[in-house]
Structures are given as structure tokens and as C-alpha cells.
Amino acid sequence: MDGTAKILKFELQDVLRSKWMILYALFFLLLTEGLFRFGGNQSKVILSLMNIVLIIIPLVSIVFGTMYLYHSREFIELLLSQPIERKKIFWGVYSGLAIPLSAGFVLGVSIPSLMYGIHTSQEAGMMGMLIVAGVFLTFIFVALSFSISIRYEDRLKGLGLSILLWFFFAIMYDGIVLILIYTFGDYPLEKAMIGVSLLNPIDIARTLLLLQFDISALMGYTGAVFHKFFAGWTGMIISVVFLMLWVGIPLFSGQRIFNRKDF
Amino acid sequence: MKDNFGIRLTGFVLLLIFCFGVSQGYSKDLHVKPDGTMRSIKQALLLSNNGDRIIIYAGRYTEGNIIVDKSVSLIGKDNPVIDGEGKGEIFTVTANDVIIDGLIIQNAGISYVQENAGIRLKEIERCIIRNNKLIRNFFAIYLAKSSDCLIENNEIQSAGTTESSSGNGIHLWSCRKITIKDNTITGHRDGIYFEFVKEGNIIGNVSEHNLRYGLHFMFSDSCMYSKNIFRDNSAGVAVMYTKSVTMTGNTFEHNWGPSSYGILLKDISDSEITKNVFIGNSTGLYIEGSIRMKIKNNEFIRNGWAIKLMANSYANIFSENNFIGNSFDVATNSRSNFSTFQGNYWSAYSGYDLDRDGVGDVPFRPVTLFSIITQQQPASLILLRSFFISILDVAEKMIPVLTPETLMDTKPMMRRIL
């Protein structure tokens, strides 16, 4: 893993030097700061942050990831000419992007929160879950972007596909779910809905966050089923396993292509 | 000399009258001790007259059903325990002006035939029940056809598991002018139960962890409840078939469950709900068939549904309430609306205030499209806070197609009302 570590170190330096990463962290810093300052109560701030986390993080991660890989193509080709295993290069480049992206998010969000104070354990729970969800989404969407940009040589095609994928997961998927619900409304759908929501990483993150924010709404007839699943240990573990699968599957498929690819 | 004698004589006569007066008109104290000359409460009651005080000292008394048929005060010293041993009723009070103070009354028997109580007041007036501890009774305090009584500062607890094997904490049936003040009630079926009560006051009580309602209130006109805390009751508080009720300054907290409400209003008219706090309930306020209600200055914070307003309610006025961080602010079951919302603060409001008078320039529609969708298809609740749903809600707000057009706050406040 020495090679991976070295590449990671270089990538980290490279990424930190680029102003985009600083801007990204600053964006979260200013946003959280502004929300805390003007947004009034704590729970409203965290709720607004949740919407940002669920929409912005996937978008930035997938677009930035795609662009970054196309951009550093020459560097990767240079590395490939060296006696380093391809696997190590891939992991180095991936973690060199995913780690600083999530670090930027975590720092940007947590500094103002710590400054303005998280008062109750409930708020701490919300914030903790928000950060975990944000980090997972970063890793997932960077992995997706890698598997796309490695597969397609054409930058325009790759970028378009990335944005389309984001659009699908962030918006279209829930529309399809709603259509499904209306189509099969006569059947008990609660359990099926849990299954369906596990197939979309943004939905998993959202449902996990719902348990922190809207727990009282989830205590009704239907909500209780969701609550029972996602709040229990098995549900939590299954959710996290699915999130990990969402990181793992695109990453390993990307790596496979990367190993065989003729640059 | 003669004068002197006269003075002495009058003095003597006065003294006689005084002594006579004391022995006749003033009460005596009877002392009940486990190791004393008088060992049982029943014996003391037998020897007592109206107006006497029976002092009960520390110890455990198991005397079955004690019938208090004289106007006496039963006063506990150092927490004596009156144990019903799970068989039948403990105190049955049938005389006026009885005071029961400072006793620990426990284990009135569970029965599916009789409503056994720790203390039952039966067709009497002017009684005071205070500073008692009632533990594991079927019913704790039961008032039937009584009036002008005070139930104060009692600690009532039970550990009921099913609704049928558990009775109510404070149960009133057909009573007048009863004050229930500063009691704590936990683990019963209904914390406080009112049926056919007139002019009752419920003040400063804490009713929590009860199996059904924290307060169950039916056919009880002109009653008032204020400054009470109803917490973690599996169905919250129900107020039904009543007019002229004042509900003010109460806290309804964390009443969670499939059919759990902060307050459930059914067929209520001309009543007031003011200055209450609803925090973290599945449904804060459920309103069905209610008319001319004034709902003002309440706080609705982090409820699943702050208000569920059924369309068979009309002429209700919601004003100056704060709606903060609720999953749904208002839900309804129809496109028609006959109630008024005005001058509330909604944390979900995103309008502007150009003339800076503190009132938003665009009306706020608290019923979202998604709340209608969840009414129709409960399973869609899993899409709560989805970006797609927000887009739908915004589109619906621009041009209402499915949400009630007249249900809107024309003067939403820009800042939280303090």
C-alpha cells in the first residue's frame, strides 16, 4: 500500500492547492455560519443544511469527480508509465479526491456549529447523522463519477452522464416512487417502499435523517413501519451496508475497467 | 364586696359556658397507632363524632373497605400505609366535609365488575383530599355525584399494563365545582376522567405515561383546565361533546403513536385554546366537528402534524400561533374550508415583507400538496423532505389545484410571536 499512500499524499497536496476545494469548504462554512446567524432556531438550521447535503453534495461530488479525472488524465498516464500497480494508482487518486472533499464539508459545517453551540443531545444526534450522511454521499458520488469518467473517453458525454445520474437519483427517482405508490396504492406498500428506498443512496441518507428530524410524523400508522425498520439496529445496519455497497460497487467496477483499460 | 362577687359569679359562669362549649362544640382528636390503645381506623370512626380529627400514625393498616360516614378529618402522621391487599375498595366516603390528608393508600383491588377505588366520594359535598400518595390502585380517586370538593397535591401512580385491567387516576362522574390541583398521575388508564361535570377546574397537574388519555373529557360544560402537563400518554388528551371549555397554558408533550394526539377535539363548540405548548406530538391538535373555537397564542413545535382540521368544523379562528419545525403544519380532508387563519407565524413561510410592517406580503398556504398526498396514500410518507416533493409543493403553491384554496393565512407574521 506504500504506492497508494504516496499517490494519496501527492493528490492531497494537489487538491488542497487548487482553489476549488478551498471554495467548497468556504461555501459550507459561510452557509452554515449564515444559517446559524440569521436562521433563528437550531433545528431549522439543521433542516436547511439537510436539504443542501442531499442535493449539493451529490452534485458537486459527481461533477467535480468527473472533471477532475479528465483533467488529471495526463498525470495518470505519467504514473502508469512508472512501475506502480494500476490498482494502487486508482485507489490513490480516488481517496485523494474523496477525502479532501468530505473533509471540506465536515470542517465547513462543524466549525460554525461548534462555535454557535449544539445544545441538546438531540441536536448533536442530528448534526452527527448529517455529517455521516454527507461523508457517505461524497464517497458514493465520487465513486460513481470515477466509474463514469473511466468508462467514457468523451468528456462531454461523461459530464452529461454524470449530471443525468445526479438528476435521476436526486429528483426523478422519487417521482417514479410516487407513481409506483399511486399505481399500487391498494396493496400494503410499506415494506416494499423500504426496499425501494434502499436502492437510491440519496433516499437512504434522507430516510436516516428523517428519523432525526421528523420522528413525530413517523409515529403514525405507516410511519411506524418505517420508523421501526430504520430506527432499529437491524435497519440501521442494513442502511449502512447498502450505503457501503453504493460506494463499493461503482468503485470496484471502475477499478476493473481502469485495470484493463488501454490508455 | 357585692360588686366583686358579681364579677366572680359572671366569671365563673363564663368559664362554665366556655368549658361546656369546648366539650360540646369543639372537636376532639382520636389517635390511631399500630401499638396504641386504638389500633384501627374503623374503631376510631365508630367512636368519633362529626368534626373530630382522627390522627393516624405510621404503620400498616389492612382493614378492607373503610366507610367514612361521619364528617371527620383523617390525618396521616409520618406516612401511614392503608393497604387494600388487592381486595375491593379502600375508603368509601359518604359524609360531607371529610378531609383525607397525608395517607399512603395502596392496592385497591382490580375488578371487572366493580370500579374499586382508593378513595371514593359518593354523593357528598365540601370534601378535601390532599397530600396523599395512591399507589397501584385500580381507580385511585373516584368522585360520583359530588360537589365543591378539592383534590390537591396527591401523588397517584399505578403500573397498569392493559386498558381493561387498569382504572382511572382521578375519575369524576356527574360532579359540580370540583377543583383538581397540583396532582401527579402516572400509569393509569386515563389520568383524569371527566364525564358530566360542570364547572370543574383542573390546574397545575402532571399526567404522564398513562395507558390511554392523559385527560379524558366528555359532556363537561363550563370547565377550565390550565397549566397542566400532559406527557407521553399513549393517546394524549381527548375533549369531546362539550361546550365552553377553557384550555389555557397547558403543555402537551411527546404524545406518540398511531392514534395519539396532543388534543383531540370532537364536537366542541365555543371554547378557547390559548397559550398552550404542543411539542413533539404525532398530531398536535386534531379538530373534528368543532364550531366557533378560538385558538390563539399557542406554540406548535416539532409535531408530525401541528393541526389536523376536518372540514366538518367551521367558524374556528386560528390567530397569533407559532408553527415551528412541524413536519406538516396543517392537514385537512377536503378542498373546502370554513375556518380562518390569520396573523400566525409559520417557520415554513418564505414570503417577503417589502413595507416592513412585520406582516408578510404574500399569503401563506399551510396545507401542502404533500400533506394531501399522504392523506390519500399513506405509504408516500417515505418521500418526506424529498427534493422532488418540494418541487411539487412549490408548483402547487403557485397554482392551487388540489389544496383548499381558502385555507390560507392572509397575514402571516415575519417573526415569531412572543
Side-chain angles (χ1 to χ4, degrees), chain A residues 53-128:
Chain A
V53 165
L54 292 181
I55 300 302
I56 299 292
I57 287 188
L59 181 63
V60 170
S61 300
I62 202 165
V63 171
F64 196 71
T66 316
M67 285 188 350
Y68 184 81
L69 213 65
Y70 285 134
H71 188 71
S72 53
R73 170 140 184 157
E74 275 125 44
F75 172 63
I76 291 169
E77 280 172 10
L78 176 78
L79 281 179
L80 287 169
S81 65
Q82 306 298 316
I84 313 170
E85 263 184 82
R86 283 195 166 197
K87 204 166 80 179
K88 285 181 180 169
I89 296 173
F90 182 82
W91 287 105
V93 173
Y94 173 73
S95 38
L97 185 61
I99 289 172
L101 264 178
S102 24
F105 158 70
V106 172
L107 282 179
V109 167
S110 58
I111 290 172
S113 320
L114 290 176
M115 249 166 53
Y116 284 89
I118 295 291
H119 300 298
T120 59
S121 61
Q122 195 197 5
E123 282 164 8
M126 286 178 181
M127 212 63 206

Side-chain angles (χ1 to χ4, degrees), chain B residues 14 68 93 133 241 255 286 310 328 363 371 389 398 401 409:
Chain B
L14 275 176
V68 184
V93 182
K133 213 168 162 178
Y241 316 110
N255 296 297
Y286 178 92
M310 298 298 122
F328 299 95
S371 80
I389 293 298
M398 304 284 174
V401 180
D409 193 331

Side-chain angles (χ1 to χ4, degrees), chain A residues 16-259:
Chain A
L16 286 177
R17 267 201 301 272
S18 94
K19 54 188 181 298
W20 289 111
M21 201 54 64
I22 310 288
L23 271 178
Y24 185 62
L26 227 82
F27 164 75
F28 276 110
L29 191 80
L30 288 178
L31 181 87
T32 319
E33 157 83 20
L35 283 174
F36 269 112
R37 187 166 295 194
F38 305 113
N41 58 69
Q42 234 80 338
S43 53
K44 202 179 164 183
V45 171
I46 302 178
L47 209 63
S48 309
L49 272 178
M50 168 184 167
N51 292 328
I52 304 286
V53 165
L54 292 181
I55 300 302
I56 299 292
I57 287 188
L59 181 63
V60 170
S61 300
I62 202 165
V63 171
F64 196 71
T66 316
M67 285 188 350
Y68 184 81
L69 213 65
Y70 285 134
H71 188 71
S72 53
R73 170 140 184 157
E74 275 125 44
F75 172 63
I76 291 169
E77 280 172 10
L78 176 78
L79 281 179
L80 287 169
S81 65
Q82 306 298 316
I84 313 170
E85 263 184 82
R86 283 195 166 197
K87 204 166 80 179
K88 285 181 180 169
I89 296 173
F90 182 82
W91 287 105
V93 173
Y94 173 73
S95 38
L97 185 61
I99 289 172
L101 264 178
S102 24
F105 158 70
V106 172
L107 282 179
V109 167
S110 58
I111 290 172
S113 320
L114 290 176
M115 249 166 53
Y116 284 89
I118 295 291
H119 300 298
T120 59
S121 61
Q122 195 197 5
E123 282 164 8
M126 286 178 181
M127 212 63 206
M129 190 56 93
L130 193 82
I131 286 172
V132 169
V135 170
F136 258 117
L137 286 178
T138 309
F139 274 83
I140 290 168
F141 280 86
V142 171
L144 284 170
S145 76
F146 269 45
S147 75
I148 289 172
S149 52
I150 289 168
R151 197 165 280 141
Y152 298 100
E153 290 282 318
D154 187 350
R155 291 181 179 209
L156 215 58
K157 206 172 174 186
L159 202 60
L161 207 66
S162 292
I163 292 172
L164 197 70
L165 204 64
W166 168 80
F167 187 76
F168 175 74
F169 282 131
I171 301 166
M172 270 165 61
Y173 192 87
D174 289 344
I176 295 166
V177 170
L178 194 63
I179 292 168
L180 279 179
I181 289 171
Y182 269 92
T183 317
F184 300 103
D186 297 337
Y187 302 93
L189 280 176
E190 286 82 4
K191 294 218 167 106
M193 281 304 114
I194 291 171
V196 167
S197 79
L198 287 173
L199 297 179
N200 177 353
I202 297 181
D203 275 1
I204 305 175
R206 187 170 50 77
T207 347
L208 282 177
L209 285 168
L210 279 189
L211 293 175
Q212 309 292 327
F213 297 109
D214 295 290
I215 191 142
S216 35
L218 293 177
M219 297 311 291
Y221 287 114
T222 315
V225 179
F226 303 141
H227 178 256
K228 209 170 137 193
F229 178 78
F230 286 104
W233 279 112
T234 42
M236 201 70 113
I237 289 165
I238 291 173
S239 306
V240 171
V241 165
F242 267 83
L243 282 173
M244 284 175 166
L245 283 178
W246 270 109
V247 183
I249 292 169
L251 211 51
F252 280 103
S253 82
Q255 194 210 319
R256 256 183 51 156
I257 299 168
F258 187 78
N259 281 348

